[in-house]
Amino acid sequence: MDDYPLLDVFWTMLWFFLWVMWFFLLFRIVTDIFRDDEMSGWGKAGWLIFCILLPFLGVLVYVIARGKSMTQRDMSRAQASEAAFQDYIRKTAGTGADGGTAAGSTEQLAKLAELKDKGALTEEEFQRAKTRLLAS
């Protein structure tokens, strides 16, 4: 290691880092090519061949030509995923978009208890309504 200067170690690490970054970008572009629903099959094949045969130029041209739309596709995919996750959470927690079934059940139970306290419902009617409400 004595004959390998510190500056050469720095340059070797820099080139290795750039090489890894380029591979990361290449894989990112290939996945974007296949995930793009608006591009035709021939367009996908053309971009893929261009990125494989002339990798540095192909990646550079793709980022310049389609970089902005690549970001927009990622954002829309992330928003759709977040919306699906939020919908799943609402369904799992038992709350819908209109206030939910859990909140609605609590309110209806409170109304039934109020009607029972006022004497509008008998104990049997209250128990039947409560059982029916909790069953749904």
Side-chain angles (χ1 to χ4, degrees):
M1 273 317 258
D2 292 336
D3 60 340
Y4 202 65
L6 186 60
L7 188 59
D8 287 344
V9 171
F10 172 74
W11 282 113
T12 303
M13 288 177 18
L14 179 69
W15 281 111
F16 181 73
F17 175 73
L18 291 174
W19 183 69
V20 169
M21 289 281 296
W22 179 82
F23 267 114
F24 176 76
L25 188 60
L26 178 66
F27 291 137
R28 177 80 179 83
I29 286 173
V30 169
T31 57
D32 186 64
I33 289 171
F34 285 111
R35 286 182 177 175
D36 188 5
D37 295 331
E38 297 172 2
M39 191 185 305
S40 69
W42 288 106
K44 290 178 183 184
W47 275 112
L48 196 60
I49 289 171
F50 187 43
C51 287
I52 290 174
L53 294 181
L54 298 170
F56 292 110
L57 185 62
V59 166
L60 183 64
V61 170
Y62 189 87
V63 168
I64 291 170
R66 298 182 48 89
K68 189 172 187 176
S69 62
M70 193 163 88
T71 304
Q72 291 169 347
R73 283 189 296 278
D74 281 342
M75 291 298 292
S76 65
R77 192 173 296 119
Q79 288 171 348
S81 176
E82 179 68 22
F85 178 71
Q86 292 296 329
D87 186 45
Y88 172 75
I89 293 291
R90 280 189 206 98
K91 287 179 183 176
T92 304
T95 58
D98 60 344
T101 57
S105 296
T106 306
E107 290 174 9
Q108 289 178 358
L109 278 173
K111 288 179 184 177
L112 283 174
E114 185 179 327
L115 288 172
K116 180 185 158 223
D117 291 341
K118 288 182 179 177
L121 292 176
T122 64
E123 181 65 33
E124 291 176 20
E125 293 172 330
F126 173 75
Q127 289 301 328
R128 274 187 278 143
K130 179 179 159 186
T131 306
R132 194 172 353 125
L133 183 64
L134 293 176
S136 61

